[in-house]
Structure formats: C-alpha cells, structure tokens
Coordinates of all heavy atoms in Angstrom, one line a residue:
M1 N 47.6 -111.3 -8.3 CA 47.5 -112.7 -7.8 C 46.5 -113.5 -8.7 O 45.8 -114.3 -8.2 CB 47.0 -112.7 -6.4 CG 48.0 -112.2 -5.3 SD 49.1 -113.6 -4.9 CE 50.1 -112.7 -3.7
S2 N 46.5 -113.2 -10.0 CA 45.6 -114.0 -10.8 C 46.3 -115.1 -11.6 O 45.6 -116.0 -12.2 CB 44.9 -113.0 -11.8 OG 45.9 -112.4 -12.6
E3 N 47.6 -115.1 -11.7 CA 48.3 -116.1 -12.4 C 48.2 -117.5 -11.7 O 48.1 -117.6 -10.5 CB 49.8 -115.7 -12.6 CG 50.6 -115.9 -11.3 CD 52.0 -115.4 -11.6 OE1 52.3 -114.2 -11.5 OE2 52.8 -116.3 -11.9
I4 N 48.1 -118.5 -12.6 CA 48.0 -119.9 -12.0 C 49.3 -120.6 -12.3 O 49.6 -120.8 -13.5 CB 46.8 -120.6 -12.6 CG1 45.5 -119.8 -12.3 CG2 46.8 -122.0 -12.0 CD1 44.3 -120.4 -13.1
G5 N 50.0 -121.0 -11.3 CA 51.3 -121.7 -11.5 C 51.9 -122.0 -10.2 O 51.4 -121.6 -9.2
P6 N 53.0 -122.8 -10.2 CA 53.6 -123.1 -8.9 C 54.0 -121.9 -8.1 O 54.5 -120.9 -8.7 CB 54.8 -123.9 -9.4 CG 54.6 -124.4 -10.7 CD 53.6 -123.4 -11.4
C7 N 53.7 -121.9 -6.9 CA 53.9 -120.8 -6.0 C 54.9 -121.2 -5.0 O 54.7 -122.0 -4.2 CB 52.6 -120.3 -5.3 SG 52.8 -118.9 -4.3
D8 N 56.2 -120.6 -5.0 CA 57.3 -121.1 -4.1 C 56.8 -120.9 -2.7 O 57.1 -121.6 -1.8 CB 58.5 -120.3 -4.4 CG 59.1 -120.7 -5.7 OD1 58.8 -121.8 -6.2 OD2 60.0 -119.9 -6.3
W9 N 56.3 -119.7 -2.4 CA 55.9 -119.4 -1.1 C 54.9 -120.4 -0.5 O 55.1 -120.9 0.6 CB 55.1 -118.0 -1.1 CG 54.8 -117.6 0.3 CD1 55.7 -117.0 1.2 CD2 53.5 -117.7 1.0 NE1 55.0 -116.7 2.4 CE2 53.7 -117.1 2.2 CE3 52.3 -118.1 0.5 CZ2 52.6 -117.0 3.1 CZ3 51.2 -118.1 1.4 CH2 51.4 -117.5 2.7
C10 N 54.0 -120.9 -1.3 CA 53.0 -121.9 -0.8 C 53.7 -123.2 -0.5 O 53.3 -123.9 0.5 CB 51.8 -122.0 -1.8 SG 51.6 -123.6 -2.5
E11 N 54.6 -123.6 -1.4 CA 55.3 -124.9 -1.1 C 56.1 -124.8 0.2 O 56.2 -125.8 0.9 CB 56.4 -125.1 -2.2 CG 55.7 -125.4 -3.6 CD 54.9 -126.7 -3.5 OE1 55.2 -127.6 -2.8 OE2 53.8 -126.7 -4.2
E12 N 56.5 -123.7 0.6 CA 57.2 -123.5 1.8 C 56.4 -123.5 3.1 O 56.7 -124.1 4.1 CB 58.0 -122.1 1.8 CG 59.5 -122.2 1.8 CD 60.1 -120.8 1.7 OE1 60.1 -120.1 2.6 OE2 60.5 -120.6 0.5
V13 N 55.2 -123.0 3.0 CA 54.3 -122.9 4.2 C 53.3 -123.9 4.3 O 52.7 -124.1 5.3 CB 53.7 -121.5 4.3 CG1 54.7 -120.4 4.4 CG2 52.7 -121.2 3.2
L14 N 53.0 -124.6 3.2 CA 51.9 -125.6 3.2 C 52.0 -126.7 4.2 O 51.1 -127.0 5.0 CB 51.8 -126.2 1.8 CG 50.4 -126.8 1.5 CD1 49.3 -125.8 1.6 CD2 50.4 -127.4 0.1
Q15 N 53.2 -127.3 4.3 CA 53.4 -128.4 5.2 C 53.3 -127.9 6.6 O 52.6 -128.5 7.4 CB 54.7 -129.2 4.9 CG 54.8 -129.8 3.5 CD 53.7 -130.9 3.3 OE1 53.2 -131.5 4.2 NE2 53.3 -131.0 2.0
P16 N 54.1 -126.9 7.1 CA 53.9 -126.4 8.4 C 52.6 -126.0 8.7 O 52.1 -126.1 9.9 CB 55.0 -125.3 8.5 CG 55.5 -125.1 7.1 CD 55.2 -126.3 6.3
Y17 N 51.9 -125.4 7.7 CA 50.5 -124.9 8.0 C 49.6 -126.2 8.3 O 48.8 -126.1 9.3 CB 50.0 -124.2 6.7 CG 48.5 -123.8 6.8 CD1 48.1 -122.8 7.7 CD2 47.6 -124.5 6.0 CE1 46.7 -122.5 7.7 CE2 46.2 -124.1 6.1 CZ 45.8 -123.1 7.0 OH 44.5 -122.8 7.0
L18 N 49.7 -127.2 7.5 CA 48.9 -128.4 7.7 C 49.3 -129.1 9.0 O 48.5 -129.8 9.6 CB 49.0 -129.4 6.6 CG 48.3 -128.9 5.2 CD1 48.8 -129.7 4.1 CD2 46.8 -128.9 5.4
D19 N 50.6 -129.0 9.4 CA 51.0 -129.6 10.6 C 50.8 -128.8 11.8 O 51.1 -129.1 12.9 CB 52.5 -129.9 10.5 CG 52.8 -131.0 9.5 OD1 52.0 -132.0 9.4 OD2 53.9 -131.1 8.9
R20 N 50.1 -127.6 11.6 CA 49.8 -126.7 12.7 C 51.0 -126.2 13.4 O 51.1 -126.1 14.6 CB 48.8 -127.3 13.6 CG 47.5 -127.5 13.0 CD 46.5 -128.3 13.9 NE 45.6 -129.1 13.1 CZ 44.5 -128.6 12.6 NH1 44.2 -127.3 12.7 NH2 43.7 -129.3 11.9
E21 N 52.1 -125.9 12.7 CA 53.3 -125.5 13.3 C 53.5 -124.0 13.1 O 54.6 -123.5 13.5 CB 54.5 -126.2 12.6 CG 54.6 -127.6 13.0 CD 55.6 -128.4 12.2 OE1 56.1 -127.9 11.2 OE2 55.8 -129.7 12.4
L22 N 52.5 -123.3 12.5 CA 52.7 -121.8 12.3 C 52.1 -121.1 13.4 O 51.1 -121.6 14.1 CB 52.1 -121.5 11.0 CG 52.6 -122.1 9.7 CD1 51.8 -121.6 8.5 CD2 54.1 -121.7 9.5
S23 N 52.5 -119.8 13.6 CA 51.9 -119.0 14.6 C 50.6 -118.5 14.1 O 50.3 -118.6 12.9 CB 52.9 -117.8 14.9 OG 52.9 -116.9 13.7
A24 N 49.8 -117.9 14.9 CA 48.5 -117.4 14.5 C 48.6 -116.4 13.4 O 47.8 -116.3 12.5 CB 47.7 -116.8 15.7
T25 N 49.7 -115.5 13.5 CA 49.9 -114.5 12.5 C 50.2 -115.1 11.2 O 49.7 -114.7 10.1 CB 51.1 -113.6 12.9 OG1 51.0 -113.3 14.3 CG2 51.1 -112.3 12.1
E26 N 51.0 -116.2 11.2 CA 51.4 -116.8 9.9 C 50.2 -117.6 9.3 O 50.0 -117.6 8.1 CB 52.5 -117.9 10.2 CG 53.9 -117.1 10.4 CD 54.9 -118.1 11.0 OE1 54.6 -119.0 11.8 OE2 56.1 -117.9 10.5
V27 N 49.4 -118.2 10.2 CA 48.2 -118.9 9.8 C 47.3 -117.9 9.0 O 46.7 -118.2 7.9 CB 47.5 -119.6 10.9 CG1 46.1 -120.0 10.5 CG2 48.3 -120.8 11.4
A28 N 47.1 -116.8 9.6 CA 46.2 -115.7 9.0 C 46.8 -115.3 7.6 O 46.0 -115.1 6.7 CB 46.1 -114.5 9.9
E29 N 48.1 -115.3 7.6 CA 48.8 -114.9 6.3 C 48.5 -115.9 5.3 O 48.2 -115.6 4.1 CB 50.3 -114.8 6.6 CG 51.0 -113.7 5.9 CD 52.4 -113.7 6.3 OE1 52.8 -113.7 7.5 OE2 53.2 -113.7 5.3
V30 N 48.6 -117.2 5.7 CA 48.4 -118.3 4.7 C 47.0 -118.3 4.2 O 46.7 -118.5 3.0 CB 48.7 -119.7 5.4 CG1 48.3 -120.9 4.5 CG2 50.2 -119.8 5.7
E31 N 46.0 -118.2 5.2 CA 44.6 -118.2 4.8 C 44.3 -117.1 3.9 O 43.5 -117.2 3.0 CB 43.7 -118.2 6.1 CG 43.7 -119.7 6.6 CD 43.1 -119.8 7.9 OE1 42.8 -118.8 8.6 OE2 43.1 -120.9 8.4
H32 N 44.9 -115.9 4.1 CA 44.7 -114.7 3.3 C 45.2 -115.1 1.9 O 44.5 -114.8 0.9 CB 45.4 -113.5 3.9 CG 45.2 -112.3 3.1 ND1 44.0 -111.6 3.2 CD2 46.0 -111.6 2.2 CE1 44.1 -110.5 2.4 NE2 45.3 -110.5 1.8
H33 N 46.4 -115.7 1.8 CA 47.0 -116.0 0.5 C 46.2 -117.1 -0.2 O 45.9 -117.0 -1.4 CB 48.4 -116.5 0.7 CG 49.1 -116.9 -0.6 ND1 49.6 -116.0 -1.4 CD2 49.3 -118.1 -1.2 CE1 50.1 -116.5 -2.5 NE2 49.9 -117.8 -2.4
L34 N 45.7 -118.1 0.5 CA 44.8 -119.2 -0.1 C 43.6 -118.6 -0.8 O 43.2 -119.1 -1.8 CB 44.4 -120.2 0.9 CG 45.5 -121.2 1.4 CD1 45.0 -122.0 2.5 CD2 46.1 -122.0 0.3
A35 N 43.1 -117.6 -0.2 CA 41.8 -117.0 -0.7 C 42.1 -116.3 -2.0 O 41.3 -116.0 -2.8 CB 41.3 -116.1 0.3
A36 N 43.4 -115.8 -2.2 CA 43.7 -115.0 -3.3 C 44.5 -115.8 -4.4 O 44.5 -115.4 -5.6 CB 44.6 -113.8 -2.9
C37 N 45.1 -116.9 -4.1 CA 45.9 -117.6 -5.0 C 45.3 -119.0 -5.4 O 45.2 -119.8 -4.5 CB 47.3 -117.8 -4.4 SG 48.4 -118.7 -5.5
R38 N 44.8 -119.1 -6.6 CA 44.1 -120.3 -7.0 C 45.0 -121.5 -7.0 O 44.6 -122.6 -6.7 CB 43.5 -120.1 -8.4 CG 42.2 -119.2 -8.3 CD 41.6 -119.1 -9.7 NE 41.1 -120.3 -10.2 CZ 40.7 -120.5 -11.4 NH1 40.8 -119.5 -12.3 NH2 40.3 -121.7 -11.8
W39 N 46.3 -121.3 -7.4 CA 47.2 -122.4 -7.4 C 47.3 -123.0 -6.0 O 47.2 -124.2 -5.8 CB 48.6 -121.9 -7.9 CG 49.6 -122.9 -7.7 CD1 50.5 -122.9 -6.7 CD2 49.9 -124.2 -8.5 NE1 51.3 -124.1 -6.8 CE2 51.0 -124.8 -7.8 CE3 49.2 -124.7 -9.6 CZ2 51.4 -126.0 -8.3 CZ3 49.7 -125.9 -10.0 CH2 50.9 -126.5 -9.4
C40 N 47.6 -122.1 -5.0 CA 47.7 -122.6 -3.6 C 46.5 -123.2 -3.1 O 46.5 -124.1 -2.3 CB 48.2 -121.5 -2.7 SG 49.9 -120.9 -3.1
E41 N 45.3 -122.6 -3.5 CA 44.1 -123.1 -3.0 C 43.9 -124.6 -3.5 O 43.5 -125.5 -2.7 CB 42.9 -122.3 -3.6 CG 41.6 -122.5 -2.9 CD 40.4 -121.9 -3.7 OE1 40.6 -121.4 -4.8 OE2 39.4 -121.9 -3.1
K42 N 44.3 -124.9 -4.8 CA 44.2 -126.2 -5.3 C 45.2 -127.1 -4.6 O 44.9 -128.3 -4.3 CB 44.5 -126.2 -6.8 CG 43.4 -126.1 -7.8 CD 43.8 -126.5 -9.2 CE 42.9 -125.9 -10.2 NZ 43.6 -125.8 -11.5
R43 N 46.4 -126.6 -4.5 CA 47.5 -127.4 -3.8 C 47.1 -127.8 -2.4 O 47.3 -128.9 -2.0 CB 48.7 -126.5 -3.8 CG 50.0 -126.8 -4.0 CD 50.5 -127.9 -4.8 NE 51.7 -128.4 -4.1 CZ 51.8 -129.4 -3.2 NH1 50.8 -130.1 -3.0 NH2 52.9 -129.7 -2.7
F44 N 46.5 -126.8 -1.7 CA 46.1 -127.0 -0.4 C 45.0 -128.0 -0.3 O 45.1 -129.0 0.6 CB 45.6 -125.7 0.2 CG 45.0 -125.8 1.6 CD1 45.9 -125.9 2.7 CD2 43.7 -125.9 1.8 CE1 45.4 -126.1 4.0 CE2 43.1 -126.0 3.1 CZ 44.0 -126.1 4.1
K45 N 44.0 -128.0 -1.2 CA 42.9 -128.9 -1.2 C 43.5 -130.4 -1.5 O 43.1 -131.3 -0.8 CB 41.9 -128.6 -2.3 CG 40.5 -129.1 -2.0 CD 39.6 -128.8 -3.1 CE 38.3 -129.7 -2.9 NZ 38.5 -131.1 -2.8
F46 N 44.4 -130.5 -2.4 CA 45.0 -131.7 -2.8 C 45.7 -132.4 -1.5 O 45.5 -133.5 -1.2 CB 46.0 -131.5 -3.9 CG 46.8 -132.8 -4.2 CD1 46.3 -133.8 -5.0 CD2 48.1 -132.9 -3.8 CE1 47.1 -134.9 -5.2 CE2 48.9 -134.0 -4.0 CZ 48.4 -135.1 -4.7
E47 N 46.5 -131.5 -0.8 CA 47.2 -132.0 0.3 C 46.3 -132.4 1.4 O 46.5 -133.5 2.1 CB 48.1 -130.9 0.9 CG 49.4 -130.7 0.1 CD 50.4 -131.9 0.2 OE1 50.4 -132.6 1.2 OE2 51.1 -132.1 -0.7
T48 N 45.2 -131.7 1.6 CA 44.2 -132.0 2.6 C 43.5 -133.4 2.3 O 43.4 -134.2 3.2 CB 43.1 -130.9 2.7 OG1 43.8 -129.7 2.8 CG2 42.3 -131.1 4.0
D49 N 43.2 -133.5 1.1 CA 42.5 -134.8 0.7 C 43.5 -135.9 0.8 O 43.1 -137.0 1.3 CB 42.1 -134.7 -0.8 CG 40.9 -133.8 -1.0 OD1 40.3 -133.4 0.1 OD2 40.5 -133.5 -2.1
L50 N 44.8 -135.7 0.4 CA 45.8 -136.8 0.5 C 46.0 -137.2 2.0 O 46.0 -138.4 2.3 CB 47.1 -136.2 0.0 CG 48.2 -137.2 -0.2 CD1 47.9 -138.2 -1.4 CD2 49.5 -136.5 -0.5
R51 N 46.0 -136.2 2.8 CA 46.2 -136.5 4.3 C 45.1 -137.2 4.8 O 45.3 -138.2 5.6 CB 46.5 -135.2 5.0 CG 47.8 -134.7 4.8 CD 48.1 -133.5 5.7 NE 49.5 -133.1 5.4 CZ 50.3 -132.7 6.4 NH1 49.9 -132.7 7.7 NH2 51.6 -132.4 6.2
R52 N 43.9 -136.9 4.4 CA 42.6 -137.6 4.9 C 42.7 -139.1 4.4 O 42.4 -140.0 5.2 CB 41.4 -136.9 4.4 CG 40.2 -137.3 5.2 CD 39.0 -136.5 4.8 NE 38.9 -136.0 3.4 CZ 38.7 -134.8 3.1 NH1 38.4 -133.9 4.0 NH2 38.7 -134.5 1.8
L53 N 43.1 -139.3 3.2 CA 43.2 -140.7 2.6 C 44.2 -141.5 3.3 O 43.9 -142.6 3.7 CB 43.5 -140.6 1.1 CG 42.4 -140.2 0.2 CD1 42.9 -140.1 -1.2 CD2 41.2 -141.2 0.2
V54 N 45.4 -140.9 3.6 CA 46.4 -141.6 4.3 C 45.9 -141.9 5.7 O 46.1 -143.0 6.2 CB 47.7 -140.7 4.4 CG1 48.7 -141.3 5.4 CG2 48.3 -140.5 3.1
R55 N 45.2 -141.0 6.4 CA 44.7 -141.2 7.7 C 43.7 -142.4 7.7 O 43.8 -143.3 8.6 CB 44.1 -140.0 8.4 CG 44.3 -139.9 9.8 CD 43.9 -138.5 10.3 NE 43.4 -137.7 9.2 CZ 43.5 -136.4 9.1 NH1 44.1 -135.7 10.1 NH2 43.0 -135.7 8.1
Q56 N 42.9 -142.4 6.7 CA 41.8 -143.4 6.6 C 42.5 -144.8 6.3 O 42.1 -145.8 6.9 CB 40.9 -143.1 5.3 CG 39.6 -142.5 5.8 CD 38.8 -142.0 4.6 OE1 39.1 -142.5 3.4 NE2 37.9 -141.2 4.8
A57 N 43.6 -144.8 5.5 CA 44.3 -146.0 5.2 C 44.9 -146.6 6.5 O 45.0 -147.8 6.6 CB 45.3 -145.8 4.2
V58 N 45.3 -145.7 7.4 CA 45.9 -146.2 8.6 C 44.8 -146.8 9.5 O 45.0 -147.8 10.2 CB 46.6 -145.0 9.4 CG1 47.1 -145.4 10.8 CG2 47.9 -144.6 8.5
I59 N 43.7 -146.1 9.6 CA 42.6 -146.5 10.5 C 41.9 -147.8 9.9 O 41.6 -148.7 10.6 CB 41.5 -145.4 10.6 CG1 42.2 -144.2 11.4 CG2 40.3 -145.9 11.4 CD1 41.3 -142.9 11.3
E60 N 41.7 -147.8 8.6 CA 41.1 -149.0 7.9 C 42.1 -149.5 6.9 O 42.0 -149.3 5.7 CB 39.8 -148.5 7.2 CG 38.8 -147.9 8.1 CD 37.7 -147.2 7.2 OE1 37.4 -147.8 6.2 OE2 37.2 -146.2 7.7
P61 N 43.1 -150.3 7.4 CA 44.1 -150.8 6.5 C 43.6 -151.8 5.4 O 44.1 -151.9 4.4 CB 45.1 -151.5 7.4 CG 44.5 -151.6 8.7 CD 43.2 -150.8 8.8
M62 N 42.5 -152.5 5.7 CA 41.9 -153.4 4.8 C 40.5 -153.0 4.4 O 39.7 -152.6 5.3 CB 41.9 -154.8 5.3 CG 43.3 -155.3 5.5 SD 43.2 -157.0 6.2 CE 42.9 -156.7 7.9
D63 N 40.1 -153.2 3.1 CA 38.8 -152.9 2.7 C 37.9 -154.1 3.1 O 38.4 -155.2 3.3 CB 38.6 -152.4 1.3 CG 39.0 -153.5 0.3 OD1 39.0 -154.7 0.6 OD2 39.3 -153.0 -0.8
A64 N 36.6 -154.0 3.0 CA 35.7 -155.1 3.4 C 35.9 -156.4 2.6 O 35.9 -157.5 3.2 CB 34.3 -154.6 3.3
A65 N 36.1 -156.2 1.3 CA 36.3 -157.4 0.4 C 37.5 -158.2 0.8 O 37.5 -159.4 0.9 CB 36.4 -156.9 -1.0
L66 N 38.6 -157.5 1.1 CA 39.8 -158.2 1.5 C 39.6 -158.8 2.9 O 40.2 -160.0 3.1 CB 41.0 -157.1 1.5 CG 42.4 -157.7 1.8 CD1 42.8 -158.7 0.7 CD2 43.4 -156.5 1.9
K67 N 39.0 -158.1 3.7 CA 38.7 -158.7 5.1 C 38.0 -160.0 5.0 O 38.2 -161.0 5.6 CB 38.0 -157.7 5.9 CG 38.8 -157.0 6.9 CD 37.9 -156.1 7.8 CE 38.8 -154.9 8.3 NZ 37.9 -153.8 8.8
A68 N 36.9 -160.0 4.1 CA 36.1 -161.2 3.9 C 37.0 -162.4 3.4 O 36.8 -163.5 3.7 CB 35.0 -160.9 2.9
K69 N 37.8 -162.0 2.4 CA 38.7 -163.0 1.8 C 39.6 -163.6 2.8 O 39.8 -164.9 2.9 CB 39.5 -162.4 0.7 CG 39.6 -163.1 -0.6 CD 40.4 -162.4 -1.6 CE 39.6 -161.5 -2.5 NZ 40.5 -160.8 -3.5
L70 N 40.1 -162.8 3.7 CA 41.0 -163.2 4.8 C 40.3 -164.1 5.8 O 40.8 -165.1 6.3 CB 41.7 -162.1 5.5 CG 42.8 -161.4 4.8 CD1 43.3 -160.2 5.5 CD2 44.0 -162.4 4.7
A71 N 39.0 -163.7 6.1 CA 38.2 -164.5 7.0 C 37.9 -165.9 6.5 O 38.0 -166.9 7.1 CB 36.9 -163.7 7.3
A72 N 37.7 -165.9 5.1 CA 37.4 -167.2 4.4 C 38.6 -168.1 4.5 O 38.6 -169.3 4.7 CB 37.0 -166.9 3.0
L73 N 39.8 -167.5 4.3 CA 41.0 -168.2 4.3 C 41.3 -168.8 5.7 O 41.7 -170.0 5.9 CB 42.2 -167.3 4.0 CG 42.6 -167.1 2.5 CD1 43.7 -166.1 2.4 CD2 42.9 -168.4 1.9
R74 N 41.0 -168.0 6.7 CA 41.2 -168.5 8.1 C 40.3 -169.7 8.4 O 40.7 -170.6 9.1 CB 40.9 -167.3 9.1 CG 41.9 -167.2 10.1 CD 41.8 -166.0 10.9 NE 42.0 -164.8 10.2 CZ 41.4 -163.6 10.4 NH1 40.6 -163.4 11.4 NH2 41.7 -162.6 9.7
L75 N 39.1 -169.7 7.8 CA 38.2 -170.8 8.1 C 38.6 -172.1 7.5 O 38.4 -173.2 7.9 CB 36.8 -170.4 7.5 CG 35.9 -169.4 8.4 CD1 34.7 -169.0 7.6 CD2 35.6 -169.9 9.7
E76 N 39.4 -171.9 6.3 CA 39.8 -173.1 5.6 C 41.0 -173.8 6.4 O 41.3 -174.9 6.1 CB 40.3 -172.7 4.2 CG 39.1 -172.5 3.3 CD 39.5 -171.8 2.0 OE1 40.7 -171.9 1.6 OE2 38.7 -171.3 1.3
L77 N 41.7 -173.0 7.2 CA 42.9 -173.6 7.9 C 42.6 -174.6 8.9 O 41.5 -174.5 9.5 CB 43.7 -172.4 8.5 CG 44.4 -171.5 7.6 CD1 45.1 -170.4 8.3 CD2 45.5 -172.3 6.8
Ligands
ZN101 ZN1 50.3 -119.0 -3.9

C-alpha cells in the first residue's frame, strides 16, 4: 500500500463515507484504508475541505466587503 495514485476503491466509498451512509463495519474498513493509503488520505482531506467550504458558502453567501457594498447601494436608493 505504498504506491501513490488513483485508487478505484476509494472513489467508490469516499462519497458514501462522507455522507455517513456506510455501516460501522464499512466505516472501520475505510478508516483502516485511509491510514494505509496516502492517495486516499489526500483525496479524503480534499473532499472534507471542499465540503466545509461549500457549507460555509451556504451559511455565509456574501463576504463582508460585498455586504458593505450592498448596504451602501441600499442607502443610495
Ligand atoms: Zn486507497
């Protein structure tokens, strides 16, 4: 398990794993694999970060600068 490259198995289980759709046994299997496979570990980290960013974008759709700009526009109306 030292080679670094696309891992078909990980592509298959990564999404259901992140969506918490796997059984406890499967989760343990994924975590065991993540610890051994550097490719999947990286892939997993990337997906986790991506999901966090997407969630943040949903919660905070506008950044502060844009909000200020919009507030200024509203005052001019
Ligand atoms: Zn892998």
Side-chain angles (χ1 to χ4, degrees):
M1 285 279 180
S2 58
E3 73 184 85
I4 301 170
C7 181
D8 291 342
W9 183 80
C10 119
E11 292 298 324
E12 244 172 77
V13 298
L14 198 58
Q15 297 302 330
Y17 174 71
L18 288 168
D19 290 330
R20 295 170 208 281
E21 287 167 357
L22 298 178
S23 69
T25 318
E26 287 170 321
V27 167
E29 219 179 308
V30 172
E31 277 165 3
H32 183 77
H33 180 80
L34 285 176
C37 182
R38 284 182 64 192
W39 168 259
C40 291
E41 197 194 5
K42 263 195 206 161
R43 219 21 215 101
F44 175 78
K45 203 185 169 305
F46 172 79
E47 283 293 331
T48 312
D49 288 348
L50 188 71
R51 284 185 176 223
R52 198 172 31 227
L53 284 176
V54 168
R55 215 168 2 207
Q56 261 172 18
V58 170
I59 296 165
E60 303 169 35
M62 292 182 282
D63 64 22
L66 186 61
K67 256 183 209 165
K69 228 181 265 180
L70 281 172
L73 275 178
R74 224 171 295 152
L75 286 173
E76 281 165 24
L77 287 174

